[in-house]
Amino acid sequence: MQTNLKAMRKYDAGLILITLVAVVAFVSVLFSLSPNTSATPRFSQLTYLYVDNGNALDFTTITQTPLTDWTPISSPINLGMNTNVHWFSMVIAPTQSNESRFLLHIDYPLLDSLDVAIYSQIGSTPIATYSGGDGLHFDNRPVSHVKPLFPLPVSAQSQRVIIRVQTSGSVRLPIRIWEETEFIAYTSSRNLALGIFFGILVAMGVSNAFLTVTTSNVSFLYYSGYVMSLALILATLHGYGFSYMWPGSTWFQGKAILVFANATIMFAAMFTRSLLPIRAHSVKLDKITQAISWVCGLSIILGLILPYSFMIKAFLLLLSLIVIFTLGLGIWLTLKGVVVARYFTIAWGFLLISGLSASLDNVNIIQLPISSNNLLIIGGAVETLILALILAINYSHSRDDLIEAQQFALEQEKQANTAKENLLEVQKRYQDDLEYKVQERTLELEITLRELSEVNQELERLNAIDPLTGAHNRRHFDKRLRSEGRRSRREQTPLSLIIVDVDHFKQINDKHGHDGGDACLIHVTNVFQKHIHRPTDDLCRIGGEEFAIILPNTDLEGAFHVAENMRDSLESTPLDYEGETIKLTASAGVSTTIIIDEEHAQNLFKFADECLYEAKAAGRNTVIHKHLQEKL
């Protein structure tokens, strides 16, 4: 899709305003998602123990471990990625209340194995034990909640809580002790905010899927896949996937993060290729963007097979490289003058940086002042909103361009009809005159009709001639290529096509001006025309400095001979222009085939053009010739 530059500039202020409003709105949502931390925590003496034989300990023997072996730590706990067993100990305040019971809340749903034991101050045997984590079916949790939640026994005295954790991901324990009434109020506001957020994502995903059907625009499909994958990965990070979508599949819960994270990046890469004109500026960068989608697709399959601890590290490395590449690509295209790229960079900057920051926080490389999951919500929400607006604007401009083109075509048709009506009126006038003066006007009418026919033929000829060089133009070339393609198919004779491009023509224009460039094009045409000997051969100017030569009933070697003679003749015949000698060279692509269907002639043209680009890549001033069948 091409974006109108002037039209897009009208949206600068609107997009900036929407970005600021979105940031403020979702930061306010962040505060509603985060618990009030101003109150004094209801636990103290938080320590942890890590020993190599941690699996040999249990909730009876762990109490015999000297307190000096335990290491003090503060909440929220983040020890990075470690698959070994970790023990955590803390002392909680009395849990006796007339209003409600107390709950131990671990605000991180991605722990594989989580066991909790509660001891009285004087006992070494737990008075209550619980098990949770993703390693157990969701129905086995002591409290059916998206995050690990454990009821605390009522006690007028302080109690000791020991937690055993083992996971293939990050060892994180954001701990909080709640009164049940407080927790219900907090959960209600949190669920409302998250419900609104996920509702927006799902609505945008479904609506864009419908737009794919109604508009046949694949960009909407890629965007829909990206939004739905983003919603699923955030739902998994917040525990809603395991709670409501696959509560009985602990195996898939252990793979869901990798599956949906890679799917999000895969659809994002495909959406990027469809939205930005990357290939028009760099084929290499376009292939890299396409490779990212393939790598992420492969990572989805590998994530279901290989260990999570290995694949998540590989994904974080891949994500870091993708962040740098994507932001660099957006900035580069912005500097190239692609207006939509700057909005794309702003939008993706929110999500990619927040996603990378959250990932680095999960492996304890950096420490964030806020929850990494909440940071992902802010980045995802802002980015999704801005991208949706850009996609709508871009599609609107494409539709407007199509409507303008249709209106222009209708206007041209109207003018043609008017001209036809005028011609009919002239003919009618002649006919009326003939009724009165048949004999007198017979000769005059014949002369007039002959002159009109000659004028029409001259107009037809002029319409097929390039006014600058005198060679046939692109319109004539398209008609002639189709005609010769049909003849080749009918008679089963080879059809050859040469595509020639003057080397470094822009530099000639820059140095000698457009008049000098025009003189060069006229000179090139004259040189090439000397090598067109058969009446059936046709030289056409099909673009600025690009020429095409149609050679019916000519094999590949014959066509190569013609192209090589043209190239050599041009190289050895410089142009004298205003006292200066301009040396000219050209590159050419040659292809030959026997046409088999209507589309085959166009394929011949495209392949010859590819040979031309190969000649330029080989250093210019050369001819590359291949049979079309070599590509097939």
Side-chain angles (χ1 to χ4, degrees), residues 35-233:
N36 182 11
T37 57
S38 60
T40 302
R42 295 186 174 97
F43 63 88
S44 61
Q45 302 178 36
L46 180 61
T47 57
Y48 81 97
L49 175 66
Y50 165 69
V51 291
D52 294 335
N53 60 344
N55 284 316
L57 299 174
D58 56 30
F59 282 124
T60 300
T61 57
I62 191 65
T63 57
Q64 301 172 7
T65 305
L67 295 177
T68 55
D69 292 344
W70 295 79
T71 303
I73 195 172
S74 59
S75 182
I77 298 170
N78 186 352
L79 299 180
M81 298 187 68
N82 194 318
T83 59
N84 293 317
V85 176
H86 288 75
W87 296 85
F88 300 89
S89 173
M90 63 181 174
V91 175
I92 62 174
T95 55
Q96 191 169 18
S97 173
N98 295 327
E99 298 180 358
S100 61
R101 61 177 176 172
F102 283 80
L103 302 170
L104 169 62
H105 182 210
I106 308 296
D107 195 16
Y108 185 66
L110 302 180
L111 299 172
D112 295 342
S113 177
L114 178 65
D115 300 308
V116 176
I118 304 167
Y119 304 79
S120 64
Q121 284 288 58
I122 59 174
S124 59
T125 301
I127 59 177
T129 59
Y130 305 105
S131 294
D134 295 345
L136 295 176
H137 286 200
F138 184 79
D139 295 338
N140 294 331
R141 293 189 176 185
V143 178
S144 295
H145 191 264
V146 294
K147 305 288 179 65
L149 192 66
F150 309 99
L152 297 175
V154 177
S155 175
Q157 304 295 326
S158 298
Q159 301 176 90
R160 185 182 185 188
V161 175
I162 295 182
I163 304 173
R164 180 186 182 276
V165 174
Q166 186 174 23
T167 183
S168 58
S170 298
V171 180
R172 304 188 67 186
L173 268 82
I175 300 173
R176 186 169 175 84
I177 308 297
W178 296 89
E179 274 196 72
E180 190 170 16
T181 54
E182 295 175 342
F183 184 73
I184 291 173
Y186 162 67
T187 302
S188 298
S189 62
R190 184 184 182 93
N191 288 343
L192 175 61
L194 286 174
I196 294 173
F197 171 71
F198 285 115
I200 292 174
L201 288 186
V202 172
M204 295 181 70
V206 172
S207 62
N208 279 275
F210 288 149
L211 285 172
T212 304
V213 178
T214 57
T215 65
S216 300
N217 191 325
V218 73
S219 295
F220 290 109
L221 177 63
Y222 294 150
Y223 182 75
S224 177
Y226 157 72
V227 170
M228 298 303 288
S229 299
L230 178 63
L232 286 170
I233 190 174

Side-chain angles (χ1 to χ4, degrees), residues 334-404:
T334 300
L335 297 177
K336 288 287 186 180
V338 181
V339 181
V340 74
R342 67 167 174 255
Y343 308 114
F344 169 87
T345 305
I346 294 173
W348 278 104
F350 278 97
L351 181 63
L352 293 176
I353 294 176
S354 62
L356 181 61
S357 301
S359 300
L360 296 178
D361 177 60
N362 277 332
V363 296
N364 204 26
I365 295 178
I366 63 174
Q367 297 290 334
L368 294 176
I370 62 174
S371 168
S372 58
N373 290 348
N374 292 340
L375 180 63
L376 278 175
I377 287 180
I378 295 175
V382 174
E383 182 269 350
T384 301
L385 179 64
I386 298 175
L387 274 186
L389 183 59
I390 294 173
L391 183 59
I393 293 171
N394 212 23
Y395 178 73
S396 175
H397 290 163
S398 297
R399 184 189 61 186
D400 292 343
D401 291 342
L402 177 61
I403 292 174
E404 290 178 2

Side-chain angles (χ1 to χ4, degrees), residues 259-279:
V259 171
F260 297 133
N262 280 288
T264 302
I265 302 300
M266 179 184 70
F267 281 112
M270 292 189 290
F271 176 71
T272 300
R273 290 187 70 224
S274 67
L275 181 69
L276 300 179
I278 304 174
R279 189 174 185 83

Side-chain angles (χ1 to χ4, degrees), residues 438-482:
V438 175
Q439 295 180 352
E440 296 177 355
R441 299 295 185 181
T442 299
L443 181 61
E444 182 179 353
L445 179 60
E446 290 177 352
I447 295 172
T448 302
L449 290 176
R450 185 169 59 253
E451 290 176 350
L452 181 61
S453 176
E454 291 172 356
V455 168
N456 286 336
Q457 292 176 2
E458 181 66 17
L459 287 175
E460 183 69 23
R461 188 187 68 82
L462 291 176
N463 282 337
I465 297 298
D466 175 50
L468 174 64
T469 63
H472 286 130
N473 58 18
R474 178 59 183 266
R475 178 184 176 187
H476 173 84
F477 168 77
D478 291 337
K479 292 174 60 177
R480 183 69 190 283
L481 181 61
R482 287 194 299 270

